[in-house]
C-alpha cells in the first residue's frame, strides 16, 4: 500500500487526493482550513462518479483517507508529497521547509505550481534534490497531463520514479526539458487569456462569443491533434511547409496583442465577471462541474476507442490494471470451477447511463456480451482460436432487469454453464453490485465455422474445458429466472 500526503486540499489538492485514493493509495490531507474535509467531499463524489468511467476494468479498491493538522503526522513515512497551497512563493517556501523537516528523504515532493520554476521552489530547501514541479490540470482526477519539471538540482532518479508512479495512477507525465516560468501549457493558456481579455475590453467580442469560438472550433480539434499536427493537416498534401508558406507572413501582421498586456483594473474585472455572469449565471457551479465531467468522459472515451492521444494513455492504464485483475485468463488457471465464474468486474461509466439516471438497458447486454466473450476465452475460444476459423454465435438471449445501478458503481458478472456439449453452449450470467443482484442474462450459443457460417464442432481443447465446467456446474441448483420468457409468471 502506498501513501500520498496532499498539502493544501483546495481545488487542485482535492483533485490529487481523489486521483491517488481511487487508484488504491492511502491519502493524508494536510490543510489548516477547518472546512478542509467538507471542501473535499463534493470533489470526491464527482471523482467517484467520473474517474472509474475512463477504464473498462475496475480500479483497485479505494485507499484510506485521513485529515491532519500536524505536518509531522501527515508526511511521516509517505511515498509522495504533493504541495498544492496558494500560488505565493513565500507560502510555498514555508510549507516545503516544514514538509522536509518531517518527511522521508527519499519521498517525492511534487509542487502543483502553475508558474514557479523548480529552482525558485528549491531556494533555501534542506534537500533541493527532492523537489520538482508536477503541474496538473483541472480536474486532476480526469486530466492525464502532469508537467514534470526538474531543475538542474533535482535528483533525476527521483524524477523517473515520479513518472512511473504518475503512469501507474493513469496520468501522462510530460517532462519539461528546461525550466521556464509557467512551464509549457500555462504559457499557451496565458497567451489565449491575454488575447481574450483584449477582445472583451476592446468590445470586439463578449465572453460568451469567445467561448463559442473555442468550443465550436479549435477547442475540439486541439483535444485530439494538438497544434502542430492540426496545422500540418491544414497544409493539405504538402503539409506543414505549405501551411507555413501561407500563414508565415501573418507573423508580421497585427494578428496579436500578446506583449501588450491590458491593465488589470476593477473596471476590467467588472466587465469580464459581469459578462461571465450573464453567460452562465443561470447554472450553478456544481451543475457546470457535472456537465464538464460528463463531457470530458464522453470525449475521452471516444479517444480511447480510437486508441488516440489521451485515449491511448487510458488504454495503457487499463492494460496495467488488467494485469493485476482477479479475472482468470484460462479455465486451466482455475483450481475450482464448482461455483459460477467471475467474467466481468468493472465500473459503470458515465456514458452508460441515460435520461432515467441509471444504466441504460443496452449496456446490460453489453456487459453480458463482454461476460460471454470472457467465458469463451476461458474455455479456449480466444482471439488466436477465432483466427483459425472457429467461434461462437449467440442464437438467443433473455435479460431480466432486477434492480437499477448508477454511474461509478462496480459491477461483477458471474457465469454459470447450464449446458455445454458438442456445438451447444447455454450460459446464465448474474450481474451484481456487491451482493445486490442487478440483472440476469441467459444466452444460447452455437459453435460455428467462420468460413461456412454454419454450426460446427469446437476443438478438442474447447470441448474439454467446457465439459469440465459444465459437469461441475451441473451440481448447482438451477438459477432463479432460468428458462423464463416475457409474460410468464415466476
Ligand atoms: N486552480 C487551478 O486551475 C490550478 C491551480 N494550480 C496550482 O495549484 C496550487 C493550488 O491552487 P488551488 O487548488 O486552485 O487553490 P485553492 O485556493 O483552491 O486551494 C489552496 C488550499 O491551500 C490551503 N492552504 C493555505 N495555506 C496552507 C498552508 N500553509 N498549508 C497547507 N494548506 C494551505 C487552503 O486552505 C486551500 O484549501 C497553486 O499553486 C496553483 O497555481 C495548478 C493547476 C490548475
Ligand atoms: C489558470 N491556471 C494557471 C491556474 C491554469 C493551470 O495551471 C492549469 C489548468 O488546469 O488550466
Amino acid at each position: 500500500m502506498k501513501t500520498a500526503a496532499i498539502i493544501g486540499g483546495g481545488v487542485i489538492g482535492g483533485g490529487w487526493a481523489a486521483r491517488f485514493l481511487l487508484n488504491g493509495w492511502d491519502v493524508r490531507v494536510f490543510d489548516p482550513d477547518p472546512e478542509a474535509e467538507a471542501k473535499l467531499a463534493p470533489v470526491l463524489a464527482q471523482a467517484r462518479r467520473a474517474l472509474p468511467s475512463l477504464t473498462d476494468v475496475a480500479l483497485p479498491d479505494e485507499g484510506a483517507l485521513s485529515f491532519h493538522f500536524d505536518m509531522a503526522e501527515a508526511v511521516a513515512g509517505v511515498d509522495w508529497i504533493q504541495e498544492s497551497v496558494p500560488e505565493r512563493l513565500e507560502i510555498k517556501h514555508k510549507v516545503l521547509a516544514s514538509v522536509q523537516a518531517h518527511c522521508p528523504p527519499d519521498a517525492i515532493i511534487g509542487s502543483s505550481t502553475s508558474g514557479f520554476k523548480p529552482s525558485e521552489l528549491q531556494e533555501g530547501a534542506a534537500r533541493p534534490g527532492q523537489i520538482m514541479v508536477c503541474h496538473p490540470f483541472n480536474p486532476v482526477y480526469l486530466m492525464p497531463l502532469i508537467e514534470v519539471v526538474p531543475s538542474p538540482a533535482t535528483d533525476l532518479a527521483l524524477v523517473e520514479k515520479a513518472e512511473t508512479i504518475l503512469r501507474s495512477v493513469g496520468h501522462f507525465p510530460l517532462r519539461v526539458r528546461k525550466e521556464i516560468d509557467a512551464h509549457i501549457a500555462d504559457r499557451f493558456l496565458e497567451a489565449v487569456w491575454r488575447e481574450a481579455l483584449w477582445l472583451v475590453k476592446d468590445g470586439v467580442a463578449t465572453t460568451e462569443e469567445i467561448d463559442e469560438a473555442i468550443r465550436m472550433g479549435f477547442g475540439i480539434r486541439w483535444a485530439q491533434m494538438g497544434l502542430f499536427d492540426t496545422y500540418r493537416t491544414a497544409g493539405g498534401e504538402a503539409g506543414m511547409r505549405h501551411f507555413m508558406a501561407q500563414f508565415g507572413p501573418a507573423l508580421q501582421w497585427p494578428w496579436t496583442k500578446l506583449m501588450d498586456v491590458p491593465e488589470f483594473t476593477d473596471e476590467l474585472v467588472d466587465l469580464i465577471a459581469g459578462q461571465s455572469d450573464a453567460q452562465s449565471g443561470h447554472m450553478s457551479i456544481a451543475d457546470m462541474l457535472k456537465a464538464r465531467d460528463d463531457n470530458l468522459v464522453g470525449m475521452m472515451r471516444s479517444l480511447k476507442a480510437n486508441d488516440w492521444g489521451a485515449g491511448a494513455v487510458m488504454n495503457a492504464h487499463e492494460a496495467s490494471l488488467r494485469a493485476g485483475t482477479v479475472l482468470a485468463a484460462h479455465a486451466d488457471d482455475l483450481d475450482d470451477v464448482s461455483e459460477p465464474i467471475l467474467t466481468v468486474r468493472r465500473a459503470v461509466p458515465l456514458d452508460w447511463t441515460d435520461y432515467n439516471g441509471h444504466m441504460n438497458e443496452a449496456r446490460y447486454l453489453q456487459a453480458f456480451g463482454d461476460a460471454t466473450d470472457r467465458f469463451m476465452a476461458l474455455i479456449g475460444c480466444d482471439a488466436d482460436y477465432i483466427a483459425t476459423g472457429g467461434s461462437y454465435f449467440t442464437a438467443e438471449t433473455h435479460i431480466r432487469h432486477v434492480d437499477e445501478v448508477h454511474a461509478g458503481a462496480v459491477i461483477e458478472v458471474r457465469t454459470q454453464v447450464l449446458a455445454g456439449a458438442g456445438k451447444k453452449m447455454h450460459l446464465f450470467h448474474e450481474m451484481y453490485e456487491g451482493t445486490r443482484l442487478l440483472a440476469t442474462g441467459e444466452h444460447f450459443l452455437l459453435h460455428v465455422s467462420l468460413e461456412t457460417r454454419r454450426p460446427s464442432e469446437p476443438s478438442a481443447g474447447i470441448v474439454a474445458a467446457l465439459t469440465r465446467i459444465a459437469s461441475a456446474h451441473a451440481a448447482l441448483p438451477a438459477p432463479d429466472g432460468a428458462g423464463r420468457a416475457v409474460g410468464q409468471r415466476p
Side-chain angles (χ1 to χ4, degrees):
M1 182 59 78
K2 302 245 180 221
T3 306
I6 307 298
I7 313 301
V11 172
I12 292 304
W16 276 106
R19 170 72 78 163
F20 277 118
L21 199 66
L22 270 68
N23 276 283
W25 282 53
D26 284 347
V27 170
R28 301 184 203 153
V29 177
F30 172 90
D31 192 313
D33 184 350
E35 293 301 308
E37 191 166 350
K39 279 195 307 194
L40 191 62
V43 180
L44 268 180
Q46 283 265 125
R48 286 189 181 114
R49 194 173 150 269
L51 177 62
S53 298
L54 297 190
T55 49
D56 292 311
V57 291
L59 292 170
D61 290 343
E62 267 186 40
L65 174 65
S66 54
F67 293 85
H68 304 262
F69 295 103
D70 178 68
M71 183 66 85
E73 193 186 272
V75 300
V78 300
D79 305 278
W80 187 296
I81 296 125
Q82 186 65 29
E83 171 276 300
S84 302
V85 302
E87 188 77 353
R88 298 281 176 272
L89 195 54
E90 68 283 5
I91 303 182
K92 293 201 186 272
H93 279 157
K94 221 171 131 195
V95 163
L96 289 171
S98 169
V99 164
Q100 288 204 314
H102 302 288
C103 77
D106 59 348
I108 292 152
I109 304 181
S111 169
S112 298
T113 179
S114 297
F116 293 120
K117 297 194 283 280
S119 58
E120 291 175 290
L121 299 172
Q122 288 165 339
E123 283 160 10
R127 294 181 299 276
Q130 219 181 345
I131 298 171
M132 67 195 84
V133 169
C134 289
H135 176 234
F137 291 78
N138 193 26
V140 185
Y141 54 82
L142 288 183
M143 294 285 100
L145 182 61
I146 302 293
E147 292 177 299
V148 177
V149 198
S151 83
T154 311
D155 175 355
L156 282 185
L158 214 53
V159 175
E160 278 162 21
K161 188 173 163 193
E163 289 169 341
T164 303
I165 290 175
L166 288 168
R167 279 189 204 96
S168 76
V169 296
H171 277 307
F172 177 79
L174 178 68
R175 178 92 63 98
V176 179
R177 54 182 80 223
K178 196 171 165 189
E179 61 171 345
I180 180 174
D181 295 285
H183 329 308
I184 298 174
D186 275 355
R187 294 189 80 90
F188 287 120
L189 294 180
E190 186 64 17
V192 173
W193 175 239
R194 287 180 185 204
E195 287 293 351
L197 292 184
W198 270 124
L199 291 170
V200 178
K201 185 173 159 45
D202 290 351
V204 176
T206 62
T207 57
E208 183 161 12
E209 286 159 358
I210 289 170
D211 281 351
E212 299 296 21
I214 295 171
R215 60 190 167 208
M216 299 296 166
F218 67 85
I220 309 177
R221 272 191 336 213
W222 279 2
Q224 50 84 48
M225 265 198 193
L227 179 64
F228 287 105
D229 271 357
T230 297
Y231 281 172
R232 182 181 175 81
T233 59
E237 279 304 315
M240 186 57 96
R241 283 184 193 285
H242 177 66
F243 181 85
M244 290 192 76
Q246 183 166 196
F247 295 104
L251 291 173
Q252 308 302 325
W253 302 338
W255 275 25
T256 180
K257 288 181 89 166
L258 213 51
M259 297 317 296
D260 194 3
V261 185
E263 205 184 334
F264 191 70
T265 59
D266 288 348
E267 207 185 349
L268 181 65
V269 173
D270 286 346
L271 180 67
I272 300 284
Q275 288 194 7
S276 174
D277 288 347
Q279 177 185 345
S280 302
H282 60 285
M283 283 183 280
S284 70
I285 296 292
D287 284 347
M288 289 181 79
L289 293 179
K290 186 169 172 291
R292 175 200 68 185
D293 284 6
D294 289 3
N295 294 332
L296 286 173
V297 166
M299 291 191 288
M300 288 167 77
R301 285 185 66 82
S302 297
L303 293 170
K304 184 172 186 290
N306 289 340
D307 199 26
W308 185 272
V313 174
M314 287 153 56
N315 281 334
H317 186 214
E318 182 169 305
S320 70
L321 291 171
R322 219 179 268 286
T325 184
V326 288
L327 299 185
H330 192 278
D332 290 349
D333 303 333
L334 297 167
D335 294 334
D336 180 6
V337 291
S338 62
E339 294 296 325
I341 295 169
L342 184 67
T343 42
V344 166
R345 187 166 197 280
R346 60 160 307 139
V348 177
L350 279 173
D351 61 352
W352 279 26
T353 59
D354 60 17
Y355 45 82
N356 289 325
H358 58 195
M359 188 161 97
N360 181 262
E361 60 185 318
R363 302 301 184 171
Y364 287 82
L365 180 55
Q366 182 164 347
F368 286 139
D370 290 347
T372 299
D373 289 349
R374 164 61 37 190
F375 187 81
M376 283 165 54
L378 266 172
I379 57 171
C381 187
D382 55 13
D384 289 346
Y385 177 83
I386 291 167
T388 68
S391 186
Y392 280 93
F393 284 0
T394 305
E396 192 168 339
T397 289
H398 181 84
I399 293 178
R400 291 186 312 142
H401 300 271
V402 179
D403 206 345
E404 56 180 356
V405 65
H406 305 283
V410 173
I411 54 171
E412 289 187 348
V413 178
R414 289 181 212 126
T415 301
Q416 179 172 340
V417 179
L418 297 182
K423 304 165 196 155
K424 297 176 183 172
M425 184 160 77
H426 189 169
L427 301 180
F428 193 83
H429 301 303
E430 286 183 324
M431 183 189 295
Y432 290 90
E433 182 193 7
T435 54
R436 195 165 62 91
L437 181 68
L438 303 172
T440 64
E442 189 172 350
H443 309 263
F444 180 73
L445 298 101
L446 281 169
H447 188 275
V448 293
S449 153
L450 291 175
E451 198 189 329
T452 64
R453 321 301 285 182
R454 309 287 309 159
S456 67
E457 292 300 325
S459 71
I462 289 179
V463 170
L466 182 58
T467 305
R468 177 178 168 236
I469 300 172
S471 315
H473 286 191
L476 293 170
D480 188 30
R484 280 272 303 278
V486 175
Q488 283 181 350
R489 282 192 170 280

